[in-house]
Amino acid sequence: MLGLNKKDMTLLIAVAVLTMFAPFFLNPFPTDSAMAQFNAGYPDLMQRFVIFGIFAIGFNILFGLTGYLSFGHAAFLGVGSYAAVWIFKLFTYNVVPAILLAVIVAAVFSVLMGYVSLRRSGIYFSILTLAFAQMMFALAYSVLSNPKFNLTNGETGLQVYPNDPQMFHPEGMQDFPHLFGLYMNSTYTMNVGPWAFDFNTGYYLCAVVMLAVFYLAIRIFRSPFGMMLRAIKSNQTRLNYTGLNPRPYTLAAFVISGAYAGLAGGLMAAMDPLAGAERMQWTASGEVVLMTILGGTGTLIGPVLGAGFIKYFENIFSKINDAVLHQWFAFLPDGLEDFVVFIIHPFVGKGWHLTLGILFMLVVIFLPGGLVEGGQRIGKWIKNRGKSEDSDAGPKTEPAE
Amino acid sequence: MGILEVKDVGKRFGGLQALGDVNLSVKENSVHAIIGPNGAGKSTLLNCLVGKLIPDTGSVMFDGQSVLGRTPYEINQMGISRVFQTPEIFSDLSVMENMMIPCFAKRDGSFRMHAIENMMDEKDIVEKAEAMLVDMNMADKREMHAASMSRGDKRRLEIGMCLAQEPRLLLLDEPTAGMARADTNNTIDLLKQISDERDITIAIIEHDMHVVFSLAQRITVLAQGTPLVEDNPENIKGHPKVREAYLGESA
């Protein structure tokens, strides 16, 4: 169906079900319970899950298939955001033209950056992309925001002001991005007993877009083009002596992943009409690398998992402060309570990066295939445990896909 | 006029004259061997033919066209395929995928953007790759991970991949280096069969005299960057200059 084989179709349906019912899955705890702070089902965070999912899916098309590690992809995300906000400022709050322009502008920038950077491979390629991205960050942060020519509004970030032209913005409409009248920030809250589930328009727009680009990524993975990209990663010498020119293939992959990043940036601006230069900084580029590796490089679903994992930690762990910890361990004797809080303190709140770093190291060392490999191992373990009574076949060590 | 004409080719690396005025003519549909002691410039010569190196002087004509200044993939598209000393295959891909890539290269040229089609829907490519796997006697290994094959199988796959491109000239760089006797004999048989059944010219660089004398119709002996003699195998065997190059002055 849809030109996919059975296995890929199952995966696509699973992802569709997960994203469509995410407001339920992510809010498993009643609103008033002590565990409610582990709920991730609020619109802002759910939007970020899928937007960074899109970013990572695109990044994986370049890094996962060709092995070219770009350290500059956040630049395309930022460029996409700026493009979208400019549409909001000049023309309309409708998100469709904003997102389209974001994709196009990011693709154009990635053609330029890819054309130059792809002349080198390996570490030199990574450094070239990093240099490009930092130049673009510097441009956005200061150079392009002087009073004579203010393209990015520097430190403050680009936003929509009441005196902006907004030529096609009808009277009487709210000043917020919308899809033909459906406002991105409108949320319907469903109360079921003690539970509350939020259904947000913006989230569902992002989720549908993510499903579409996830489907596209599956098609690319299974296409002759995808096979050529894997061949580039595997052996460029053989590719050259098989009459194939690696350069246009890698450039195409680079532009596709740049366009994905631009799409993510455009959606980000559509959810919150603001674009800041910090979105383009090298730490943001590094984050998408972490997401992809953490989830499983070169796998279809891995980047999405990695993005969700990191964004969950960023938002949930960073909210746990000392007051919350004291509340949790209130049942312990006073001295012991303080001690336990003292031990846990560096790993939560502002120190969530420490937890993330440790988890990342554990995954890279013990699960080189990322979370996907973890899932496969658990699946295999359950299968073998079920079988072990009637057959003593040991666990097979097949290479992970 | 041979299919491959090498004229006065010279190549210097700093102070070392790796090749000096090499002249070579390979006849169409023949098996031509290039032999010589270590450091004779055999590999340098080969690299000049496939675009990896550009000679300082001279010309290399393939089928009436110059190959100089072209990139390896362009030269390959002209009809020259190369087999490496250590098999160069796509080790992370399956055997079938390895075989499909040259089929795509033959059909679509050096680049084609086909990002949406499913590769298994390309019936002509799949059929051709499958037929080639049968020819190479490895149809049962279709879904195998190429990295997990034996050295001999990798070599056979690489030769098969080159043949899938229907080249007019097949260059082999010590195809049996580091192989066990049985694998070497299999490779000799395979190459014999290829040269008998197909419209193809084979140029082979080889150390192993057993391989050379069982395959070649014409032999060029290279020593210190210049061709010593070019003759048929019978005459090469007893040639005094060849013995001298291989065994030293007094032999």
Side-chain angles (χ1 to χ4, degrees):
Chain A
M1 208 163 58
L2 287 173
L4 300 183
N5 64 31
K6 216 174 141 203
K7 215 173 129 198
D8 293 335
M9 200 62 217
T10 317
L11 184 67
L12 184 66
I13 291 171
V15 172
V17 170
L18 280 176
T19 47
M20 288 302 136
F21 294 97
F24 295 109
F25 294 125
L26 295 174
N27 260 0
F29 306 112
T31 325
D32 295 327
S33 69
M35 298 296 278
Q37 59 195 316
F38 289 109
N39 279 342
Y42 54 94
D44 199 33
L45 182 53
M46 288 195 296
Q47 288 165 4
R48 239 170 293 163
F49 281 156
V50 282
I51 289 173
F52 279 92
I54 294 170
F55 190 18
I57 292 170
F59 186 76
N60 190 40
I61 289 176
L62 179 70
F63 177 50
L65 289 180
T66 68
Y68 278 75
L69 176 56
S70 160
F71 264 109
H73 260 56
F76 306 131
L77 189 95
V79 165
S81 287
Y82 281 121
V85 176
W86 269 110
I87 291 275
F88 296 151
K89 280 169 86 74
L90 295 179
F91 303 110
T92 167
Y93 258 132
N94 194 325
V95 295
V96 174
I99 291 171
L100 286 180
L101 188 73
V103 174
I104 292 165
V105 171
V108 169
F109 271 86
S110 51
V111 170
L112 295 175
M113 186 157 146
Y115 186 78
V116 177
S117 307
L118 286 166
R119 308 193 142 255
R120 291 284 168 269
S121 60
I123 189 80
Y124 303 102
F125 168 79
S126 302
I127 296 295
L128 280 171
T129 53
L130 179 62
F132 258 105
Q134 282 305 88
M135 286 194 290
M136 281 165 75
F137 168 72
L139 283 177
Y141 195 76
S142 55
V143 180
L144 294 178
S145 79
N146 52 59
K148 278 187 206 139
F149 181 70
N150 192 352
L151 191 66
T152 60
N153 209 18
E155 230 176 303
T156 326
L158 193 66
Q159 43 190 296
V160 185
Y161 294 112
N163 59 353
D164 283 330
Q166 294 200 287
M167 283 181 248
F168 306 109
H169 188 60
E171 286 292 321
M173 276 196 92
Q174 278 181 42
D175 287 331
F176 203 81
H178 62 84
L179 179 70
F180 303 109
L182 291 166
Y183 292 102
M184 289 300 122
N185 58 353
S186 64
T187 302
Y188 165 72
T189 305
M190 183 167 92
N191 288 302
V192 184
W195 283 276
F197 303 111
D198 290 336
F199 297 89
N200 173 264
T201 316
Y203 167 72
Y204 276 100
L205 173 69
C206 295
V208 169
V209 171
M210 191 194 84
L211 282 178
V213 297
F214 183 66
Y215 171 70
L216 184 67
I218 300 180
R219 294 294 296 253
I220 291 175
F221 267 63
R222 303 291 177 237
S223 71
F225 174 69
M227 177 169 70
M228 295 303 175
L229 297 184
R230 282 184 291 134
I232 287 171
K233 184 179 184 178
S234 183
N235 191 340
Q236 276 210 37
T237 309
R238 181 30 87 198
L239 199 76
N240 258 315
Y241 289 98
T242 307
L244 291 160
N245 185 0
R247 192 79 58 79
Y249 282 103
T250 44
L251 184 62
F254 194 89
V255 173
I256 291 171
S257 71
Y260 269 64
L263 176 65
L267 283 171
M268 232 182 225
M271 297 304 115
D272 180 14
L274 182 90
E278 76 288 341
R279 228 167 252 186
M280 309 171 82
Q281 226 174 344
W282 65 275
T283 46
S285 298
E287 199 179 48
V288 73
V289 180
L290 291 193
M291 287 171 181
T292 310
I293 295 175
L294 193 67
T297 315
T299 61
L300 281 165
I301 190 67
V304 184
L305 293 180
F309 193 82
I310 287 188
K311 284 294 147 190
Y312 184 82
F313 265 78
E314 181 183 292
N315 287 279
I316 303 299
F317 265 63
S318 62
K319 272 194 314 196
I320 302 171
N321 54 26
D322 278 6
V324 176
L325 287 178
H326 278 291
Q327 197 189 321
W328 284 356
F329 297 104
F331 64 92
L332 294 170
D334 267 357
L336 195 57
E337 180 188 329
D338 287 344
F339 179 71
V340 171
V341 171
F342 176 76
I343 294 291
I344 299 180
H345 172 83
F347 294 95
V348 295
K350 281 181 183 145
W352 73 272
H353 277 112
L354 196 58
T355 319
L356 181 68
I358 292 170
L359 280 170
F360 184 73
M361 284 194 275
L362 289 176
V363 165
V364 169
I365 294 169
F366 295 107
L367 292 173
L371 295 174
V372 169
E373 192 188 334
Q376 282 168 344
R377 282 201 201 168
I378 292 171
K380 220 165 265 172
W381 179 73
I382 291 172
K383 237 191 215 165
N384 284 342
R385 205 182 51 154
K387 274 189 214 155
S388 60
E389 278 144 26
D390 43 45
S391 75
D392 53 353
K396 281 178 204 154
T397 49
E398 282 169 70
E401 241 183 80
Chain B
M1 220 8 211
I3 188 165
L4 183 74
E5 291 284 338
V6 178
K7 282 233 156 54
D8 304 326
V9 162
K11 179 78 192 170
R12 251 191 125 74
F13 296 113
L16 175 75
Q17 185 79 41
L19 291 177
D21 293 339
V22 175
N23 286 291
L24 184 72
S25 171
V26 178
K27 265 205 207 74
E28 195 158 3
N29 294 336
S30 67
V31 180
H32 194 122
I34 299 160
I35 63 170
N38 279 327
K42 305 185 295 288
S43 296
T44 309
L45 177 62
L46 190 76
N47 285 334
C48 288
L49 304 183
V50 295
K52 195 175 179 193
L53 292 174
I54 298 172
D56 304 330
T57 55
S59 71
V60 179
M61 303 291 276
F62 174 70
D63 197 25
Q65 280 181 301
S66 173
V67 306
L68 298 186
R70 292 179 201 254
T71 57
Y73 71 85
E74 285 169 337
I75 292 173
N76 178 284
Q77 290 283 0
M78 289 168 74
I80 303 181
S81 279
R82 174 181 182 177
V83 173
F84 286 78
Q85 196 169 340
T86 36
E88 293 277 2
I89 54 171
F90 303 110
S91 0
D92 301 330
L93 273 57
S94 76
V95 171
M96 180 65 179
E97 286 172 327
N98 265 280
M99 202 52 102
M100 283 170 78
I101 287 175
C103 298
F104 275 114
K106 174 74 184 169
R107 193 192 71 181
D108 298 337
S110 64
F111 173 71
R112 188 182 146 197
M113 188 76 189
H114 29 29
I116 299 298
E117 306 92 313
N118 189 318
M119 61 185 170
M120 289 302 161
D121 291 344
E122 310 263 357
K123 292 279 176 278
D124 53 330
I125 299 282
V126 171
E127 271 167 30
K128 190 175 167 190
E130 270 168 352
M132 205 64 223
L133 285 180
V134 172
D135 277 8
M136 288 297 119
N137 204 1
M138 50 196 343
D140 52 325
K141 303 191 173 71
R142 191 175 186 273
E143 297 308 322
M144 220 166 138
H145 204 197
S148 58
M149 289 195 302
S150 73
R151 173 75 176 254
D153 281 345
K154 282 181 186 165
R155 169 62 72 221
R156 231 161 5 130
L157 176 61
E158 192 188 22
I159 294 175
M161 287 163 72
C162 288
L163 292 180
Q165 291 190 279
E166 299 156 34
R168 300 189 51 204
L169 174 62
L170 181 64
L171 298 172
L172 299 116
D173 189 357
E174 301 196 27
T176 62
M179 264 189 194
R181 198 82 218 171
D183 276 342
T184 303
N185 287 335
N186 285 340
T187 309
I188 294 174
D189 292 343
L190 177 64
L191 290 173
K192 262 191 189 145
Q193 191 194 341
I194 291 167
S195 113
D196 289 347
E197 289 174 3
R198 289 169 197 265
D199 232 4
I200 195 168
T201 315
I202 297 179
I204 179 168
I205 284 181
E206 189 52 77
H207 241 75
D208 188 333
M209 290 303 140
H210 169 61
V211 179
V212 173
F213 289 119
S214 6
L215 281 172
Q217 288 140 12
R218 195 91 188 148
I219 296 176
T220 301
V221 184
L222 217 58
Q224 285 157 1
T226 40
L228 280 182
V229 255
E230 187 185 319
D231 214 327
N232 53 24
E234 289 74 44
N235 295 343
I236 292 284
K237 264 181 197 166
H239 205 288
K241 268 190 177 174
V242 179
R243 294 169 62 106
E244 189 186 308
Y246 267 90
L247 302 168
E249 296 280 332
S250 56

